[in-house]
Amino acid sequence: MKRMKILYFIMMALLAFSCDDFLDEAPDNRAEVDSQVKIRKLLVSAYSDGNYALACELSSDNIDDTGELNPNSTRIYEQMANWEEITEVDNDDLKNVWEGAYLAIANSNQALAAIEEIGEENLLAEKGEALITRAYSHFILVNVFCKHYNSATSDTDLGIPYMEAPETTLNPKYERGTVKEVYEKIDADIEAALPLISDDMYEVAAYHFNQKAAYAFAARFNLFYENWEKAISYATEVLTTNPSSRLRDWTAMGELPRSREAVTNAYINDPADLLAVPTGSSLGLYFGAFYVGSRFNHTEKVAEEQTLNAPMPWAPDGVLLGYFNYRPFVYAGNNLDKTLFYKIPYLFEYTDPVAGIGYTKTVMIPFTTDETLLVRAEAEIMLNRNDEALADLNAWTRAFYIPGAETTLDDINTFYNGLDYSSEDTPSQKKKLSPGFTVVAGLQENLIHYVLQCRRVLTLHEGLRWFDIKRYGIEVPRYQIQSNGTVKVLDVLEKDDLRKALQLPQDVISAGVEANPR
């Protein structure tokens, strides 16, 4: 189906398309979306092709700068890693994140308008998918481009324009509103969508917001929204009464041939995956055994001190490779320092096979049963349901590591009490926490440290660590490894640093949307 002229009304203000682009389009053809089949085809495009993961991962504490003598970088990677305004153009730039999300939202809204016009009696499942995709795209936008939700300040913190209907004016003016208003609208869309979603409408449910993916999203959203009870309830809808049976088979992953293609293909085709989203991105190339991106990457130093091989309550001397059911891939050579979990495929779509040119692609898995289990564990900790949280954490570590990788509340308390907070001179996994909500010192804080560490390891390379940094006000020093092996701190992202709200694309600002303060 042709792109409808209506989408370009939105782009005029939000994406700053040229007049020529606008005039080249055919007349408004919304009336063509007049059947269930056409609505379902439209909803295929309600999932963004823009990928936020690389910008968020490079902004986080999961990477080091291996030094100026390493030539394997580009200006845009340097800008992302150093929290600068992104001026370069790339497959993974923030303009693609913004454009992709709003184009997906436009398709969701067009589907909703068509459903209302036709009559929703026989289109309830389609309405559910349109609402949940609209909510999810706005959720990504508000968490990338705004301050994190905070019940004390979000009624004044800048949000993003929340699009609830197809645009019908030539040059609309958009107000950003507040983070609180955006969260309220996301919440309303989720609550309206959940009862309507039906897996029966999908030929391949994994590529759509099926019921379990929708509840996993609802669980994560409510965790971010500080609705702990709802987060637990929705996560339980995904995990059922036997969560261990729902987790990824990490042992089987570890028995696969040690090749990028074998393990990434298995990862994106596992029953633990709740949603698969193809995107245009170099993420699989960047976090693969290639020199691309090796200057700013997840180094052996980060792995040893803070992530994969850092101490845990059940391995206080450090996590050895023998502890993993699915072992990381370690590359150490001249200007190649990457310690990786292969999960993100590197795909290439040829536009001209003869010339060998085309687009880098990947498939992202935004929601898994494993991550949803850790969402529930964190919410349980916030409600002081510590035994339940411990059971969930042990279920995950037994699956991800080895069967003996489990612990007790006393062991967690003792371990984190004995671990110094991370500092610029001595990095560790234990970060000073400054969330907008209350975390009580002692056992509750120590359990939060543990669940954040588990999620950091599980979601490595996916960008989700960045959202935990924002949620918990974690400081991030940017380390640069010098040619003599010493380490220099180039900059520090403070707990309330304005740069944690990534800057809007310049085209969007030029079109009249208010920029983030700096």
Side-chain angles (χ1 to χ4, degrees):
M1 178 169 48
K2 294 180 180 179
R3 282 187 177 181
M4 292 166 286
K5 180 178 176 182
I6 194 66
L7 301 183
Y8 284 88
F9 288 133
I10 296 173
M11 302 303 120
M12 286 291 289
L14 294 178
L15 311 180
F17 269 24
S18 72
C19 292
D20 287 343
D21 292 325
F22 173 75
L23 294 173
D24 285 344
E25 290 301 305
D28 187 349
N29 60 1
R30 282 173 292 161
E32 292 183 9
V33 188
D34 56 4
S35 70
Q36 183 182 64
V37 171
K38 292 178 180 179
I39 290 170
R40 289 186 178 185
K41 287 182 178 179
L42 182 61
L43 285 171
V44 170
S45 299
Y47 299 82
S48 175
D49 185 61
N51 196 319
Y52 65 87
L54 186 57
C56 291
E57 192 73 4
L58 291 186
S59 299
S60 79
D61 53 1
N62 282 344
I63 63 111
D64 273 341
D65 178 354
T66 61
E68 295 177 347
L69 295 181
N70 187 335
N72 301 299
S73 186
T74 64
R75 180 65 184 134
I76 192 170
Y77 298 155
E78 295 175 27
Q79 291 173 339
M80 290 176 175
N82 293 315
W83 313 301
E84 299 172 0
E85 183 176 341
I86 297 173
T87 59
E88 304 299 309
V89 176
D90 183 83
N91 212 22
D92 292 278
D93 64 27
L94 293 179
K95 183 179 178 182
N96 279 335
V97 176
W98 183 276
E99 289 184 4
Y102 275 113
L103 184 57
I105 290 164
N107 287 317
S108 299
N109 283 333
Q110 192 58 51
L112 287 168
I115 290 167
E116 182 177 0
E117 184 174 340
I118 296 170
E120 66 178 40
E121 293 80 7
N122 297 315
L123 296 168
L124 293 178
E126 290 79 4
K127 182 179 180 180
E129 185 179 15
L131 287 168
I132 203 76
T133 51
R134 182 171 75 180
Y136 181 64
S137 291
H138 284 107
F139 178 73
I140 294 302
L141 287 166
V142 74
N143 280 286
V144 171
F145 294 105
C146 305
K147 293 181 179 180
H148 182 68
Y149 176 82
N150 179 333
S151 57
T153 65
S154 286
D155 57 346
T156 57
D157 291 336
L158 279 175
I160 44 94
Y162 203 97
M163 305 299 296
E164 297 179 275
E167 187 52 68
T168 57
T169 59
L170 179 60
N171 190 21
K173 302 299 181 183
Y174 293 104
E175 299 294 331
R176 291 186 59 176
T178 67
V179 171
K180 179 182 178 183
E181 290 168 345
V182 174
Y183 264 68
E184 288 173 345
K185 291 178 179 181
I186 293 172
D187 188 35
D189 276 350
I190 290 174
E191 292 300 319
L194 288 178
L196 304 180
I197 292 172
S198 172
D199 293 356
D200 294 339
M201 70 173 279
Y202 303 130
E203 292 183 13
V204 183
Y207 283 89
H208 297 268
F209 260 110
N210 53 75
Q211 288 179 326
K212 289 196 178 299
Y215 276 104
F217 169 37
R220 187 189 296 168
F221 168 76
N222 279 285
L223 183 74
F224 285 21
Y225 204 17
E226 302 172 20
N227 289 333
W228 320 122
E229 287 281 7
K230 272 192 173 182
I232 293 169
S233 175
Y234 290 147
T236 302
E237 290 287 339
V238 178
L239 300 166
T240 69
T241 57
N242 185 15
S244 294
S245 67
R246 302 286 175 174
L247 302 180
R248 189 178 305 276
D249 189 343
W250 294 101
T251 300
M253 288 283 295
E255 293 170 350
L256 292 168
R258 297 280 291 174
S259 75
R260 173 180 57 84
E261 294 84 353
V263 295
T264 57
N265 186 58
Y267 188 90
I268 65 172
N269 287 284
D270 191 280
D273 302 335
L274 303 177
L275 177 66
V277 180
T279 69
S281 174
S282 299
L283 197 69
L285 184 65
Y286 199 97
F287 293 112
F290 307 98
Y291 280 98
V292 172
S294 64
R295 176 175 170 180
F296 300 97
N297 218 285
H298 183 251
T299 64
E300 186 177 11
K301 182 177 184 296
V302 177
E304 291 292 331
E305 295 174 345
Q306 300 186 58
T307 59
L308 298 174
N309 301 327
M312 293 287 257
W314 43 269
D317 295 326
V319 179
L320 305 176
L321 286 179
Y323 281 113
F324 289 94
N325 282 322
Y326 167 47
R327 293 183 294 115
F329 290 68
V330 180
Y331 301 94
N334 184 28
N335 287 329
L336 183 64
D337 183 354
K338 295 184 178 182
T339 299
L340 307 173
F341 264 140
Y342 280 144
K343 60 175 79 167
I344 302 164
Y346 166 48
L347 309 171
F348 195 83
E349 179 184 347
Y350 285 99
T351 55
D352 187 338
V354 176
I357 58 175
Y359 299 102
T360 53
K361 300 280 188 177
T362 194
V363 176
M364 294 298 294
I365 308 296
F367 301 101
T368 67
T369 53
D370 293 63
E371 193 267 340
T372 302
L373 184 65
L374 297 182
V375 165
R376 187 171 76 174
E378 183 181 339
E380 288 164 341
I381 293 165
M382 293 309 304
L383 293 175
N384 294 311
R385 299 181 187 175
N386 297 335
D387 290 336
E388 296 171 47
L390 180 67
D392 284 345
L393 288 165
N394 280 337
W396 182 74
T397 53
R398 284 194 302 266
F400 185 78
Y401 294 101
I402 57 174
E406 54 187 271
T407 189
T408 66
L409 294 175
D410 287 341
D411 286 343
I412 294 170
N413 217 23
T414 299
F415 174 78
Y416 282 103
N417 283 339
L419 191 64
D420 291 334
Y421 285 103
S422 184
S423 67
E424 291 183 26
D425 294 331
T426 311
S428 78
Q429 57 160 293
K430 183 180 177 182
K431 311 291 183 175
K432 293 180 181 177
L433 306 179
S434 302
F437 48 89
T438 300
V439 174
V440 179
L443 179 59
Q444 186 177 63
E445 180 186 341
N446 291 334
L447 283 167
I448 290 293
H449 284 306
Y450 188 38
V451 75
L452 289 179
Q453 180 66 4
C454 291
R455 184 184 293 113
R456 187 178 183 183
V457 169
L458 172 67
T459 64
L460 196 64
H461 315 320
E462 297 176 43
L464 291 182
R465 173 63 177 176
W466 179 240
F467 302 142
D468 283 352
I469 286 169
K470 294 175 69 171
R471 291 195 304 129
Y472 279 93
I474 294 172
E475 292 188 351
V476 182
R478 180 58 71 233
Y479 296 101
Q480 185 183 77
I481 301 171
Q482 307 299 297
S483 58
N484 63 2
T486 61
V487 176
K488 178 181 179 180
V489 176
L490 298 180
D491 195 1
V492 177
L493 195 70
E494 305 289 344
K495 63 178 183 178
D496 295 321
D497 204 303
L498 293 176
R499 293 173 295 176
K500 287 185 175 179
L502 300 184
Q503 188 57 275
L504 274 58
Q506 187 55 52
D507 285 354
V508 176
I509 297 170
S510 299
V513 181
E514 184 177 356
N516 285 327
R518 287 291 185 261

